[in-house]
Amino acid sequence: MTLTELINLALAELEHPSDTAALPLWREKLTGFANDAIDDLTRSLRPWRRDPAAIANGTIDLATLPRTVSKVLGVERGGLRMPFYYGPNTMMLHLKGVQDGPVHVVYRYLPNALSQPTDVPELPSACHPLIVLYMVARFEMHNDAQGLNHANTVMALYERRKRRLRMDMDEPAGYAILNRY
């Protein structure tokens, strides 16, 4: 879903008009709530990717990966994980005694913030309905007592669905036992 679709769904849930005249009134506030939801989901779900990279002179430049790296989980070549360590900054990985060439880097990433109407959250599509729930709950928190009651209900639903989703989106080797012998 795009940012505009997320905002329209949130406005529909809130029973506010979502026509072209009303949309600019709510866009900035709801965009902020959507970005807060993405940050919350990222901290909780810890999304990961596996992307190709290249070793040159025993190092991998993490800036060449398509997403911003928050933590490297592994470096693989031919299905085998290789030992690595960070360099003087966290954007360089060093692999001692490993030949130069292609590898795959498994890493946690930080999604980009939404700003343009056509931006799509860099989280799996299963997270998009959760973003809408979060937006609705945060919007309702600033209303009267009835709105606050609704906000608590929606936020509880958001938290319950987030916990359920976390079980499905864990790291690839999070619960595996690796026998190296």
Side-chain angles (χ1 to χ4, degrees):
M1 282 188 235
T2 64
L3 176 59
T4 301
E5 292 170 335
L6 292 170
I7 291 172
N8 285 334
L9 286 172
L11 289 173
E13 178 70 28
L14 293 164
E15 298 178 355
H16 286 292
S18 60
D19 58 359
T20 55
L23 198 56
L25 299 173
W26 306 111
R27 181 181 305 279
E28 184 177 344
K29 186 177 216 174
L30 291 175
T31 299
F33 293 156
N35 285 325
D36 289 347
I38 290 170
D39 289 344
D40 183 59
L41 288 168
T42 300
R43 275 192 308 277
S44 178
L45 301 176
R46 300 180 307 183
W48 59 273
R49 294 177 54 96
R50 183 177 184 270
D51 288 320
I55 299 174
N57 298 324
T59 62
I60 298 174
D61 183 7
L62 298 177
T64 61
L65 295 171
R67 300 287 190 277
T68 304
V69 176
S70 66
K71 180 179 182 180
V72 175
L73 303 173
V75 178
E76 302 172 345
R77 179 182 280 161
L80 298 173
R81 291 222 171 183
M82 298 182 286
F84 64 90
Y85 61 94
Y86 286 99
N89 63 32
T90 57
M91 294 308 294
M92 298 296 275
L93 284 185
H94 294 284
L95 293 95
K96 192 171 184 178
V98 177
Q99 290 181 346
D100 290 354
V103 292
H104 283 91
V105 178
V106 180
Y107 62 99
R108 290 188 198 142
Y109 65 94
L110 301 173
N112 292 326
L114 303 176
S115 59
Q116 300 300 316
T118 57
D119 286 351
V120 176
E122 294 176 347
L123 291 172
S125 60
C127 296
H128 296 181
L130 292 172
I131 295 170
V132 174
L133 284 175
Y134 187 92
M135 291 164 66
V136 169
R138 286 286 304 274
F139 189 90
E140 289 284 30
M141 285 180 186
H142 301 289
N143 287 338
D144 57 0
Q146 184 179 0
L148 188 57
N149 231 2
H150 184 247
N152 289 337
T153 305
V154 174
M155 191 57 84
L157 178 62
Y158 166 80
E159 291 293 338
R160 189 171 68 235
R161 287 187 181 174
K162 182 173 71 169
R163 278 192 304 272
R164 189 179 315 147
L165 192 59
R166 175 146 165 71
M167 289 184 244
D168 297 336
M169 294 183 54
D170 214 349
E171 295 170 9
Y175 301 103
I177 297 174
L178 299 176
N179 187 353
R180 296 180 189 248
Y181 303 102

